Structures are given as C-alpha cells and as structure tokens.
Amino acid sequence: MDIDEIKKRIEFNETDGEVLINLIESANEKGSKIGETFRLIKEQSKKIFKDLSSLKKIIFTIDDLKDYGQFREWCSVGIDGSFYSVGPIGSKWYAPYSIVRILFEKGLSDEPVVDVYAAGIEEIDENKHKSIDGEASRRMLLGETKALEDWNTKNTESIVFIDGPVVDPPGYIDENYVEYRCDAIKKATSQSFLVGCVKKCIDSHFLREYERILKLERNKLLKNFSVDKNLFAYFFTAYRLDNNYDDVLFTHPLELKDEISRRYSNYGIRIFSVFFQKDFSSEIIRLDIPMKYDKGDVNLRVQRAVTASYEWTFPGQNIPVPIEIAHEKCKIRGGAAQVIYEEILARTHATGNIEDMIIMNNMG
C-alpha cells in the first residue's frame, strides 16, 4: 500500500463515525442507481457502435498502421511546461515556471537529453488579470510555442510531441497569439511530424459528429456520454473483449471545426484528431495532428503520426516517452514553489525589523 492510499485510509478512519454511517448508506443507495445507469449506457453504446460501423469504419488496429517499424529510429522531441502560482505580496502574484525539451537525437535507442529551454518566475498583477492561474498558463504556453519555434530553427527531421492539444490554451482567442502559434506549427509540419497528446479530454467533437451522422437530435449522445473520451471507453473495451485483442486501437480522424480551430484554419492550419490506446492497460488519449492546407494525403499523415505515437509509447504507458519524461522534468511542485516564495521572494521584501517580519508572516 503506497503512502497516498495510507493517507486516505487514515483520513477515512478519522471521520466522525455517525457521519460515516450516513455517508455509507447514501453511497450504497446511489451506487445501485449508478449500476443501473451504467448498464443502460453500455447497451446504448453497443447500438451506437453497430449503427456507426454500418456506415463507416470507426475503429482501426495495428494492421492499419503505415510504415510500421521505422519511427523508432527518428529523432524525437518532447516539449512540456509547468507553473505554480504563489503569493500575493501586495497585488503581485508570482509564478515559477519551467519549459523542458527532451531530445532523443538518434532515436529510441539513444539516451535522452534534458534541455531546459526556459525557467524563471513570472510576476502577475491581480489588478490587471482576473485569473492568476489563467494568465500564468497563457504565459507558459507562449513559452512552449517559443520552444517549438526554436526547435524549428534546427532544421532537423523529427517527431515532435507536445503535451496537450494543438489549440492551446483551448478557447483562448487572441489573434496575435494564434497567428504566432500557427506560424510555428506550419514550420514544424514542413519537416517533422507534430503530435499533440491530450490526456484530459473535455471536448465533444466526435459526439457532435456522430449525432450528425446518425441524424440524432442535438445533445442526444452528449446527455449520456458527456465527453468524447467516455464514449470511446465503451467502444474500445467492447472491441477488445469481443475480439480478444490487446494491441493498439485508434479511431478514424476527425477534422476539428469549432470556433477556435476555425481561427487556426484562417492561418493555414487544419487539425485532425484521433483517439488512441496503446493496449488494454493504457489510458485512452487524444492525438491532435496538425497539417497545412496542401494536397498531401490526410489519412496517410494521420496514420503515420499514430504509428509514431505507438512506437514511442512503452507497453502499459499512456503517452509517448519523450512527453512522459518532459512532464516529470518540467514539473514545478507546490512545495518547491512555496519555499521559493516564503524563503526567497517574501523575505527579501523585509528589512529584518520586527514590523516587517510580522507583516510577512501574516501574509503567509
């Protein structure tokens, strides 16, 4: 039993006994309803899959991958960033951040090189920004785009994995930022495969498309499945069990056409998404594959991007290894951010007299 599990058990046991009895009774009551709902949704998902499959191929397997076996030898790069906001001192908040690139310059057999592209502390004024974390996130993502743009200057044929969607931050409409990011993406796709690896999928692009294909009333699927990933959890599991299959699964590509994706389109970038699962023990993730408006084969490029993701993801892992390592290396942990704030940032504002020390302590 790991330390998090021990902590959970301790906190469970420390909860008042009478409160626990009521919580457990309520959980049992709601659990039976959840079980019935789960059964009905599972039946519905099987019908949806059957209806969709009669119209088009929905799920693909390892037999559909193109150029299988070659991408392990390619140069591969993982780019990720992290931040943690602390404060305030007056109206100012501080966000330690880091942006890391992981380089496998000679393929998967090579030792990874950790390249800290940028690390520092952003100062954010709460009088100018309603959301401190939102502003810190935007600045970090701008740094990630700069890291991609800088990689483009290397003129190296490579596979570039970024942590998160291609449209990042989702819903952030700033024409200057969108144009700048699209320019970096276009340069990257000219010489490399660029793949966005999305672990937290809260969109419903596929559900909307399936409602259209099946001529269902709007929100019919959204009501039960909420987000795309939930639907594919049913689809993929059923496929694996029915076919005794434990290898890569991925969906047909769907071009994203929501408002922000259309803005990317205005700058010459089309974005296609597929849902991908390495094997039964891996999490389902979404892969975003951007490409320029040209006469290239969309399906071939998508399949090759999926192949590259498959070859660079270890068995039982969820995401390609360059992103897995970049995510761990760039992580700004809360404890570290708090020490930087309390012992360095805040203390340097004090002169050492008793009044300043009391003020600083009260701020903390």
Side-chain angles (χ1 to χ4, degrees), residues 167-174 258-261:
V167 174
D168 212 359
Y172 179 57
I173 299 174
D174 177 278
D258 57 295
E259 181 183 0
I260 185 64
S261 298

Side-chain angles (χ1 to χ4, degrees), residues 76 78 102 104 108 112 161 309 311-314 317-327:
S76 182
I102 299 297
F104 286 84
L108 193 53
F161 297 106
S309 301
E311 293 186 3
W312 280 86
T313 303
F314 290 163
Q317 296 295 312
N318 304 322
I319 55 177
V321 65
I323 285 294
E324 192 84 60
I325 299 174
H327 182 73

Side-chain angles (χ1 to χ4, degrees), residues 150-173:
D150 179 74
W151 176 254
N152 293 336
T153 64
K154 314 295 183 185
N155 295 316
T156 301
E157 185 179 50
S158 58
I159 309 161
V160 181
F161 297 106
I162 59 175
D163 188 26
V166 167
V167 174
D168 212 359
Y172 179 57
I173 299 174

Side-chain angles (χ1 to χ4, degrees), residues 276-285 309-310 312-321 324-325:
F276 164 90
Q277 188 181 36
K278 169 75 174 185
D279 51 39
F280 217 144
S281 60
S282 298
E283 184 181 344
I284 297 170
I285 67 171
S309 301
Y310 171 70
W312 280 86
T313 303
F314 290 163
Q317 296 295 312
N318 304 322
I319 55 177
V321 65
E324 192 84 60
I325 299 174

